[in-house]
Amino acid sequence: EVQLLESGGTLVQPGGSLRLSCTASGVTVGTYAFNWVRHAPGKGLEWISVIVGSAADTYYADSVKGRFTISRDISKNTVFLQMSSLRADDTAVYYCVARQGRPPPYWGQGSLVTVSP
Amino acid sequence: DIVMTQSPLSLPVTPGEPASISCRASQSLLHNDGHNYLDWYLQKPGKSPQLLIYMASNRASGVPDRFSGSGSGTDFTLKISRVEAEDVGVYYCIQVLQTPFSFGPGTKVDVK
C-alpha cells in the first residue's frame, strides 16, 4: 500500500522559513515524480513544484520560484519543500503527490502552513 | 505555459439529473504516446482532493461509474449520469502534460 505522509506544517511569521517533508512508503522517491500542490483558503488548487527523474530535475510555479526549493533524500525516501520569504498568501494546506507516468497519482493527507504575525 | 479554463464555474444540480462540466486547455494535451494528460478531481468541503478520472477517460479506483470523462486535444468533459447529494463540492481539471502543471479554476457544484 502506498502512503505519503506530509509533516512540518505550522504557524510561521511573514518573512520566515519552513521546511515540509513528504515521507513515502510503498513507492521509491527516486523512481516517481513528486509534486507539491497547495490549497489556500477560499482559493483553487495550485500546483507549485515537482522533482523528477534520476537527475532530480526540478520545476516551479512562478508564484514560488526563487523562494521555494524542492529536494529529495533517497536514503530516507523523503521529499522536501524548503520555503523561505513566506508571505500571507502562502497560507495553505500543502499536499504531496507522487506519480509515475500514466497510472493514477497518489496523494498525501496534507500539511497546514499558516503565515501570520 | 498551458492555461486551463472550466465552464460553468458554478453548477446548481438536481439529484437524479445528469450534469456536465467542460474543461479547455490552451494547447493540446495529447502526448505522442496517444494519451491525453488530463485529470479530474473533486474536492469536498474540508477534505483532500479526490481523483475521479485520470488520462482524460480512466475512472480511478473506487469512483462510482456515474462519473465519466471524455475528450481529446484541448476539449474535455466530465459527466455525471445521475447526480447524488454526495457529489457536491468543487471539481477541478488539471493538465499534467508539461510543467508548470496547471489546474482549472474549479467548478462549484451544489444542490438546487
Side-chain angles (χ1 to χ4, degrees):
Chain A
E1 181 189 5
V2 175
Q3 287 193 325
L4 305 177
L5 183 62
E6 300 99 334
S7 60
T10 189
L11 173 65
V12 61
Q13 292 193 337
S17 297
L18 192 64
R19 188 177 80 162
L20 300 182
S21 300
C22 171
T23 301
S25 58
V27 296
T28 303
V29 159
T31 63
Y32 275 66
F34 272 74
N35 301 262
W36 288 95
V37 171
R38 68 184 180 183
H39 184 224
K43 302 283 186 64
L45 295 173
E46 180 185 13
W47 174 87
I48 58 173
S49 186
V50 64
I51 185 166
V52 59
S54 57
D57 295 325
T58 59
Y59 303 90
Y60 301 91
D62 287 345
S63 59
V64 305
K65 200 174 294 182
R67 300 188 301 123
F68 290 12
T69 302
I70 191 171
S71 62
R72 69 190 186 192
D73 185 333
I74 291 177
S75 68
K76 296 180 179 178
N77 217 34
T78 298
V79 173
F80 304 100
L81 185 68
Q82 178 69 47
M83 304 183 290
S84 61
S85 302
L86 284 162
R87 312 184 300 225
D89 64 358
D90 294 315
T91 294
V93 177
Y94 286 74
Y95 296 96
C96 175
V97 184
R99 191 167 202 162
Q100 189 180 56
R102 295 194 296 272
Y106 302 100
W107 284 61
Q109 85 292 344
S111 184
L112 176 62
V113 173
T114 303
V115 184
S116 180
Chain B
D1 296 0
I2 298 177
V3 177
M4 304 299 293
T5 57
Q6 290 180 229
S7 62
L9 298 182
S10 179
L11 181 60
V13 296
T14 301
E17 295 296 308
S20 178
I21 299 170
S22 174
C23 174
R24 180 165 290 178
S26 61
Q27 302 173 36
S28 176
L29 302 184
L30 181 62
H31 191 275
N32 56 20
D33 64 6
H35 293 269
N36 287 278
Y37 280 63
L38 184 285
D39 299 338
W40 288 96
Y41 286 87
L42 165 59
Q43 187 167 31
K44 298 181 179 181
K47 302 291 188 182
S48 298
Q50 172 193 358
L51 178 68
L52 298 175
I53 303 290
Y54 63 99
M55 297 290 115
S57 60
N58 297 277
R59 197 178 304 113
S61 176
V63 174
D65 61 8
R66 64 180 181 273
F67 291 93
S68 64
S70 63
S72 184
T74 61
D75 293 300
F76 301 89
T77 303
L78 176 72
K79 292 182 179 177
I80 310 173
S81 58
R82 291 175 307 279
V83 172
E84 297 192 4
E86 66 184 25
D87 298 336
V88 299
V90 182
Y91 289 76
Y92 298 92
C93 58
I94 177 176
Q95 69 82 14
V96 290
L97 179 67
Q98 66 179 230
T99 56
F101 300 146
S102 42
F103 285 94
T107 295
K108 186 174 182 180
V109 172
D110 58 13
V111 176
K112 284 182 182 175

